[in-house]
Amino acid sequence: TSIHRWLLLSLVLLIVVAMPACAPAAPSSQPLPATLVSNGEEVSITTTPEAATPTPQPSEPVRIASRPGTPYLTDEATYFGSERGIFYALDRETGEEKWRLPTGAANLNRPVVVNGIVYTGGQDGVLYAVDAGTGTAQWQFEAGEVDWSIRDKFINGTPTVLDGTVYFSSEDFNVYAVDATSGVERWRFTLDEEPQAVELPIVDGIAYIGTWGGSLYAIDVATGTEVWRAQISNGSRVTNADGERA
């Protein structure tokens, strides 16, 4: 009868639906055909099991050798030095290491990236130019000699890159301008004391920098010569390049 046929068809459907959960075979994303026979009539049924969802695996964290420095971010990467003198580039989205470069000493200053080149300097007194994509050193420039028993020649802060020149200061009392492509020195200007500079701001061709001696200098970046100097610690006296009070 039609009732018997309906009951038989329902029973077979329940068995077919339960089969994928009981079978030991590996799950498949291919459709599974099944043919039911009831009172001499064939009924075809196709079932599609749910595809297995892979469990995401967390990536291994990058092991930083020591305390990291201040990072510089681009759309693709994060660049920073470390207290142990290793410079890193990490993928900005995943945190995976792209490359690392050993340097001579601690480097906690924020670097800068211009035209695909990373510029960074540390406590060895060396400014490095590094390919941002590969981590290959392009050139390095070492600040002047000092008596380490009296002072050091650490590179101060973040270099300023402008019109093909890299400007930065060192605790050897000097401000430097070097060619951004070759690292060749263009000029250096000697201050009265160690500079205090997280960065070297340049406006309208003039760089401004202060020192431990209480002076604030304005330096012409085209020639590396003094424009004026303000003695902040002595009554805010300002002198021009000839030493005359302004």
Side-chain angles (χ1 to χ4, degrees), residues 156-157 168-175 189-202 206-219 228-233:
N156 284 312
F168 63 98
S169 64
S170 165
E171 293 189 11
D172 68 352
F173 291 25
N174 288 311
V175 177
F189 178 85
T190 302
L191 307 167
D192 65 340
E193 247 288 1
E194 288 186 10
Q196 294 298 292
V198 176
E199 60 181 343
L200 188 64
I202 299 175
I206 305 296
Y208 300 87
I209 189 170
T211 72
W212 272 105
S215 297
L216 178 67
Y217 287 84
I219 304 169
W228 55 257
R229 175 167 61 109
Q231 192 67 32
I232 305 302
S233 63

Side-chain angles (χ1 to χ4, degrees), residues 1-87:
T1 65
S2 60
I3 295 178
H4 290 160
R5 292 177 59 188
W6 174 252
L7 290 175
L8 179 60
L9 179 60
S10 299
L11 178 61
V12 175
L13 282 171
L14 288 173
I15 295 173
V16 171
V17 171
M19 284 177 61
C22 301
S28 171
S29 60
Q30 298 299 321
L32 301 177
T35 302
L36 308 182
V37 179
S38 175
N39 291 341
E41 297 183 8
E42 294 186 354
V43 180
S44 297
I45 300 175
T46 301
T47 61
T48 303
E50 293 185 3
T53 302
T55 302
Q57 299 297 321
S59 58
E60 287 293 325
V62 176
R63 302 293 181 181
I64 306 301
S66 59
R67 180 165 60 101
T70 305
Y72 181 92
L73 306 179
T74 67
D75 291 339
E76 297 80 20
T78 302
Y79 302 93
F80 61 94
S82 68
E83 196 171 30
R84 289 279 183 88
I86 299 177
F87 194 88

Side-chain angles (χ1 to χ4, degrees), residues 109-123:
N109 299 326
R110 186 176 68 93
V112 65
V113 180
V114 178
N115 296 330
I117 302 296
V118 183
Y119 298 96
T120 182
Q123 295 183 9

Side-chain angles (χ1 to χ4, degrees), residues 134-227:
T134 65
T136 304
Q138 304 300 295
W139 52 260
Q140 60 186 57
F141 176 89
E142 185 172 2
E145 295 297 325
V146 298
D147 184 346
W148 286 91
S149 64
I150 301 176
R151 64 179 188 272
D152 50 57
K153 58 178 180 180
F154 296 176
I155 301 298
N156 284 312
T158 302
T160 299
V161 184
L162 181 66
D163 297 333
T165 302
V166 186
Y167 302 92
F168 63 98
S169 64
S170 165
E171 293 189 11
D172 68 352
F173 291 25
N174 288 311
V175 177
Y176 293 90
V178 300
D179 186 274
T181 302
S182 65
V184 173
E185 180 178 329
R186 291 185 171 172
W187 55 256
R188 71 176 66 184
F189 178 85
T190 302
L191 307 167
D192 65 340
E193 247 288 1
E194 288 186 10
Q196 294 298 292
V198 176
E199 60 181 343
L200 188 64
I202 299 175
V203 179
D204 296 332
I206 305 296
Y208 300 87
I209 189 170
T211 72
W212 272 105
S215 297
L216 178 67
Y217 287 84
I219 304 169
D220 188 316
V221 298
T223 61
T225 56
E226 179 182 315
V227 178

